[in-house]
């Protein structure tokens, strides 16, 4: 299995003059530093690929132990195209990927690992809240994801930004990411693969663990309150 961290964006909403993954936390780590440390407790860090763009050298100098993929169009593309750039280099393998602004408790990886071992595609979700501005989901009658976007009505929970595509589903997902527009999020590619390729994407509930995306200053304050150690 390979791991992809999406860290190419400018992250303008947080207002940093540097890439958002390098945002310092009150525990003395950066967001990406905490990600790499947590992933390293469960997986081989040599299998981490990071998609960079905005001020890429700052990230590359900070974390020389991971492999890098450059998205030169970081200022006019979104996560669908950044993820696509990585997946075309990791053909027909299973991939765990996460947004570069996700802060999480490493214990939640214990919940995900059985699904990774079974090579079952999934989206990690939080069912304890359903905020209007977040990516939400609904399920089909068979229990797999039906819809996945910010515009979903009557969502059952929020996607937290940690996802997995199985080796058998990889190529179909790549094909649908190629269909996405430059400004689409990767969730659009997942939805297209569900509808056009009948991919079964599980929703794995990690609500029992701390996990959040840091988009705004308020999010950063919350993250600092939760992850003090």
């Amino acid at each position: 299995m390979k791991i992809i961290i999406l860290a190419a964006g400018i992250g303008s909403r947080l207002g940093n003059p540097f890439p958002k993954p390098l945002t310092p936390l009150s525990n003395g780590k950066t967001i990406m530093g905490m990600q790499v440390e947590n992933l390293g407790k469960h997986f081989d860090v040599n299998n981490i690929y990071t998609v960079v763009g905005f001020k890429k050298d700052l990230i590359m100098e900070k974390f020389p132990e991971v492999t890098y993929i450059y998205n030169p169009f970081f200022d006019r593309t979104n996560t669908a195209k950044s993820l696509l750039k990585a997946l075309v280099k990791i053909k027909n393998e299973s991939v765990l990927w996460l947004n570069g602004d996700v802060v999480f408790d490493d214990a939640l990886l214990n919940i995900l690992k059985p699904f990774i071992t079974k090579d079952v595609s999934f989206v990690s979700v939080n069912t304890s809240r359903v905020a209007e501005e977040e990516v939400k989901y609904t399920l089909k009658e068979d229990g797999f994801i039906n819809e996945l976007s910010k515009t979903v009505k009557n969502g059952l929970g929020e996607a937290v930004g940690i996802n997995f595509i199985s080796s058998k589903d990889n190529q179909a997902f790549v094909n649908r990411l190629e269909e996405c527009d430059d400004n689409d999020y990767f969730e659009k590619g997942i939805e297209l693969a569900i509808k056009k390729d009948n991919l079964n994407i599980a929703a794995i509930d990690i609500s029992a663990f701390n996990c959040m995306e840091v988009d705004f200053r308020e999010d950063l304050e919350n993250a600092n309150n939760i992850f003090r150690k």
Side-chain angles (χ1 to χ4, degrees):
M1 185 195 73
K2 298 296 188 291
I3 300 167
I4 298 171
I5 298 175
L6 300 176
I10 297 174
S12 57
R13 291 180 295 183
L14 200 56
N16 291 333
F18 48 80
K20 187 160 59 168
L22 297 183
T23 301
L25 302 170
S26 60
N27 58 15
K29 306 168 187 175
T30 61
I31 293 177
M32 186 169 164
M34 193 169 170
Q35 290 181 335
V36 172
E37 179 181 296
N38 287 349
L39 290 167
K41 293 177 182 178
H42 299 264
F43 308 106
D44 186 349
V45 295
N46 291 314
N47 288 326
I48 297 177
Y49 290 71
T50 302
V51 183
V52 290
F54 177 62
K55 296 188 177 181
K56 65 183 186 306
D57 291 345
L58 296 179
I59 296 178
M60 295 170 72
E61 291 171 1
K62 188 71 174 178
F63 303 98
E65 67 273 29
V66 308
T67 301
Y68 290 95
I69 298 168
Y70 179 48
N71 177 5
F73 307 111
F74 66 88
D75 57 341
R76 52 186 185 275
T77 58
N78 216 319
T79 57
K81 297 308 181 185
S82 280
L83 180 58
L84 177 61
K85 280 195 169 293
L87 289 180
V88 295
K89 294 183 179 296
I90 307 171
K91 296 181 179 179
N92 302 316
E93 292 192 55
S94 58
V95 175
L96 177 74
W97 82 90
L98 58 154
N99 289 327
D101 59 359
V102 179
V103 185
F104 62 94
D105 181 348
D106 76 277
L108 71 78
L109 294 172
N110 289 321
I111 300 296
L112 305 182
K113 286 167 78 173
F115 296 90
I116 292 171
T117 300
K118 294 177 183 177
D119 207 27
V120 175
S121 298
F122 65 76
V123 170
S124 303
V125 300
N126 184 339
T127 59
S128 66
R129 61 181 186 183
V130 189
E132 184 65 28
E133 70 279 4
E134 301 298 332
V135 173
K136 300 169 286 294
Y137 74 98
T138 57
L139 298 177
K140 297 181 288 186
E141 291 184 359
D142 59 8
F144 291 104
I145 289 178
N146 182 36
E147 301 171 291
L148 183 70
S149 73
K150 291 186 176 183
T151 60
V152 166
K153 302 298 182 183
N154 302 314
L156 301 175
E158 299 176 358
V160 301
I162 303 175
N163 314 281
F164 178 79
I165 194 75
S166 73
S167 56
K168 67 182 184 300
D169 294 338
N170 186 309
Q171 187 57 55
F173 185 38
V174 166
N175 293 342
R176 300 314 168 192
L177 287 174
E178 289 176 341
E179 294 179 11
C180 290
D181 293 334
D182 284 351
N183 290 322
D184 284 335
Y185 294 94
F186 59 71
E187 285 88 359
K188 178 66 175 293
I190 295 176
E191 268 200 333
L192 288 172
I194 290 170
K195 290 178 170 59
K196 294 187 175 183
D197 303 292
N198 296 314
L199 257 59
N200 288 328
I201 311 293
I204 308 304
D205 190 353
I206 54 83
S207 304
F209 302 92
N210 291 314
C211 180
M212 61 182 300
E213 289 186 308
V214 178
D215 288 320
F216 302 99
R217 285 290 164 186
E218 181 181 357
D219 299 330
L220 182 57
E221 291 175 7
N222 291 336
N224 281 329
N225 288 331
I226 294 171
F227 298 97
R228 290 187 176 277
K229 296 181 180 180

